[in-house]
Amino acid sequence: MDWLTEAKIPIGRAAARVFDWFQINGAWFFDGLSEAMEWLIERILWALQTPHPLFVIGAFAALTYGLQRSWKPALFVVLGFLFILNQGYWKETTESLTLVLSACLVCMSVGVPIGIAMAHRPALFRVMRPVLDLMQTLPTFVYLIPAIVFFGIGTVPGLIATVIFVLPAPIRLTQLGIASTPVPLLEAARAFGATPRQTLWKVELPSALPQIMAGLNQTIMLSLSMVVIAALVGANGLGVPVVRALNQVNTALGFESGFVIVVVAIMLDRMLRVDRK
């Protein structure tokens, strides 16, 4: 079988050349993108860390009640944040929430329009489907390599790697929601003379709202699953004590910080769950 390995396809070398070319010729783009991401991260972090923690907790509880129209998930959010304060992880939690919220803003801003375009253009869907499959199946640690190459060390490369890993979720669910719009609704809109834009905003998007909200929920959950991996490239947050616990073989610290991550994930899921009762 030596003859087969001698004719090895140079995938790695080709990828390295592509990255080198982008690093040389696209420095202006990556520097601008880095500055924009840093601006977004700083603003969200300021909004979460400047007010008193109880004010932030109240704001999250009010948002939860407004979304779910029930006091039970709002109370759960309050108790969850109070538990985090009790454990002394408020700063790390706000840093992780900043990463999650930033990733959500970027992913939903990019993913929803792409999903709509894919639903309306089957040819684009056929082209994008293998790309989305690759983005979802490629090991997440691989994303850290180009992130470090293009953006250095810090929260920005962690955010970029998170966005690349998470982006397929809102794209796929938005495409599914738009493509699943009942045909009678579309025919009725066209019969009443609705333009394509009116059909999109008044028929397709309302019909696809549950799937889009499910995409938002998945975006948040997947972003939160990246906090530990993002910590490996210098991103602050709850991933830092987990990595520290791993390096020190500190069971107490690892379980403590890991349990806080679980609490944050459950709180965010209760805030944005689609089935409202």
Side-chain angles (χ1 to χ4, degrees):
M1 299 294 290
D2 293 339
W3 60 272
L4 187 59
T5 57
E6 290 177 357
K8 180 180 177 180
I9 300 174
I11 296 177
R13 289 199 300 271
R17 290 173 183 171
V18 171
F19 288 141
D20 290 340
W21 187 89
F22 276 112
Q23 188 176 14
I24 295 172
N25 298 280
W28 60 272
F29 170 77
F30 295 112
D31 290 342
L33 182 60
S34 178
E35 291 178 2
M37 293 297 100
E38 287 180 357
W39 181 88
L40 178 63
I41 290 170
E42 289 174 358
R43 295 303 179 274
I44 296 178
L45 193 62
W46 179 88
L48 292 177
Q49 290 187 344
T50 302
H52 192 276
L54 293 180
F55 178 82
V56 177
I57 294 173
F60 271 94
L63 177 61
T64 303
Y65 182 82
L67 293 173
Q68 300 298 329
R69 297 299 178 185
S70 174
W71 61 270
K72 293 180 180 179
L75 177 61
F76 180 84
V77 168
V78 171
L79 294 177
F81 274 121
L82 291 178
F83 171 78
I84 292 170
L85 277 173
N86 173 262
Q87 295 298 303
Y89 283 91
W90 178 256
K91 181 175 181 292
E92 292 81 0
T93 299
T94 55
E95 291 169 342
S96 291
L97 285 175
T98 298
L99 180 65
V100 170
L101 294 176
S102 301
C104 285
L105 288 174
V106 176
C107 288
M108 297 305 291
S109 299
V110 176
V112 172
I114 293 178
I116 293 172
M118 289 172 56
H120 290 161
R121 297 172 176 82
L124 178 62
F125 174 70
R126 288 192 296 269
V127 172
M128 288 293 298
R129 184 163 55 181
V131 176
L132 297 177
D133 292 339
L134 177 65
M135 292 171 65
Q136 287 186 305
T137 56
L138 199 66
T140 52
F141 286 96
V142 177
Y143 295 134
L144 300 181
I145 301 173
I148 294 174
V149 170
F150 295 139
F151 301 100
I153 300 296
T155 304
V156 172
L159 173 60
I160 297 299
T162 300
V163 168
I164 297 174
F165 174 68
V166 174
L167 189 57
I171 293 177
R172 287 185 182 276
L173 286 169
T174 301
Q175 186 275 334
L176 176 63
I178 297 295
S180 301
T181 303
V183 176
L185 287 179
L186 296 175
E187 292 178 346
R190 295 182 187 124
F192 281 98
T195 64
R197 177 173 296 183
Q198 290 173 332
T199 302
L200 172 64
W201 285 99
K202 297 184 178 181
V203 178
E204 292 178 328
L205 285 178
S207 176
L209 186 60
Q211 285 79 11
I212 295 175
M213 290 299 297
L216 176 60
N217 185 287
Q218 287 298 304
T219 298
I220 291 176
M221 293 299 105
L222 292 172
S223 299
L224 195 57
S225 72
M226 287 287 290
V227 296
V228 177
I229 298 176
L232 297 177
V233 294
N236 296 322
L238 292 170
V240 174
V242 174
V243 173
R244 187 184 304 122
L246 180 63
N247 293 332
Q248 300 173 356
V249 196
N250 189 330
T251 306
L253 178 62
F255 184 85
E256 189 177 81
S257 54
F259 192 75
V260 171
I261 294 176
V262 172
V263 171
V264 173
I266 296 175
M267 287 192 304
L268 295 176
D269 179 69
R270 294 299 182 272
M271 286 179 61
L272 297 169
R273 68 189 327 179
V274 179
D275 53 326
R276 301 177 184 177
K277 298 182 180 180

